[in-house]
Amino acid sequence: MFRRILSHHRALSACTRSLATRHAPSVPSPSFPITGSRSIASKTSQSNEHGESSNKAKKDIASVEDPFSAPTYNIPEKPVTFVEGASYSVVILAGLGVAAAAGYAVFKELIFQPKEYKIYSKALKRIQDDGQVRVRIGSPITGYGQESRNRAARQRIPHRVWTDEEGVEHVEVNFYIRGPHGHGKVFSEMFKGPPDNEWKFTYLIVEIRAPSTAQLILESYIPSYSATK
């Protein structure tokens, strides 16, 4: 009886082992695919080739010469013809002539004062110093050429210059005056003759027009000429 049970137990153990070996999962042995290593190697070779091509392209770009940085001293200049040179000279001479004329006009205006302005200045100074005029129109007294808002017209002094039969030069001027209380008009004449060759008044008349009308004769002089001439 005991032997039967022992043999049956052994048989059952053997059957269990066989079943365990049959149904046990098979573990695959680790292996690396060959295609993966080949793709990595191909990518490495491609990156190297791309780097070499980019370096070569940079060298090619650096070796190309910039056309704008090339020296310009080798460019031949266009020869100037005789007509062009002559025209340039004419333009330059014309410009110099205009500049010289303008400079002379300014120099003459500043240094050589016209005669009518000299007479105007002397007459205005005489009027400003006269008490009769200051009482009527006030002080300070200013003078101007014409009744206009145009500055050039106000600075222009109407005048007349002539020489008499004795060779004496005369200058006539007329202008306007204005003070704080009134205004008027001036008529004056001066001559320049012997013996001292200085300007002298022939007459100086002031017509007061406001605030009330009046006529003032500030200078009246008749030059004495030699009767033998």
Side-chain angles (χ1 to χ4, degrees):
M1 183 72 180
F2 180 75
R3 291 178 180 178
R4 288 181 181 180
I5 292 170
L6 184 60
S7 61
H8 180 72
H9 179 70
R10 288 179 179 174
L12 182 61
S13 298
C15 183
T16 303
R17 290 191 190 97
S18 64
L19 291 174
T21 54
R22 286 182 183 180
H23 295 282
S26 61
V27 178
S29 60
S31 62
F32 297 98
I34 299 175
T35 58
S37 61
R38 288 181 181 178
S39 63
I40 293 172
S42 63
K43 289 181 180 179
T44 303
S45 62
Q46 288 178 1
S47 62
N48 293 333
E49 290 178 358
H50 179 69
E52 291 178 358
S53 63
S54 63
N55 293 331
K56 185 177 180 181
K58 290 181 180 179
K59 291 181 179 179
D60 294 338
I61 293 172
S63 62
V64 174
E65 185 178 1
D66 187 3
F68 295 102
S69 63
T72 58
Y73 53 81
N74 293 326
I75 300 176
E77 296 182 358
K78 181 181 179 180
V80 178
T81 62
F82 176 77
V83 176
E84 292 178 349
S87 62
Y88 294 155
S89 301
V90 170
V91 172
I92 293 172
L93 292 176
L96 292 176
V98 172
Y104 176 75
V106 174
F107 180 78
K108 183 179 179 181
E109 184 70 20
L110 296 177
I111 304 302
F112 302 103
Q113 188 180 25
K115 298 174 183 178
E116 63 271 17
Y117 287 99
K118 289 182 179 180
I119 306 307
Y120 161 77
S121 299
K122 290 179 180 295
L124 181 61
K125 180 66 168 59
R126 174 67 177 82
I127 293 168
Q128 290 171 341
D129 294 338
D130 191 85
Q132 301 178 75
V133 180
R134 291 202 304 267
V135 167
R136 285 171 171 79
I137 65 174
S139 182
I141 299 172
T142 59
Y144 50 93
Q146 300 180 21
E147 291 280 8
S148 174
R149 294 183 179 180
N150 190 336
R151 183 177 179 181
R154 292 174 66 88
Q155 292 179 347
R156 190 179 302 113
I157 305 299
H159 66 283
R160 184 171 73 95
V161 180
W162 87 96
T163 304
D164 61 17
E165 65 275 4
E166 299 293 336
V168 179
E169 187 177 19
H170 296 255
V171 179
E172 290 182 358
V173 297
N174 60 83
F175 57 93
Y176 294 88
I177 58 172
R178 184 174 293 275
H181 308 306
H183 60 89
K185 189 172 183 179
V186 178
F187 303 89
S188 179
E189 178 186 325
M190 297 188 76
F191 68 94
K192 186 177 184 181
D196 53 3
N197 203 30
E198 293 292 334
W199 288 102
K200 299 180 179 64
F201 282 103
T202 304
Y203 60 85
L204 176 59
I205 301 172
V206 179
E207 289 185 353
I208 304 298
R209 298 183 176 181
S212 60
T213 61
Q215 187 179 74
L216 305 175
I217 301 176
L218 304 184
E219 296 287 347
S220 178
Y221 174 77
I222 300 175
S224 59
Y225 296 110
S226 175
T228 59
K229 291 185 180 181

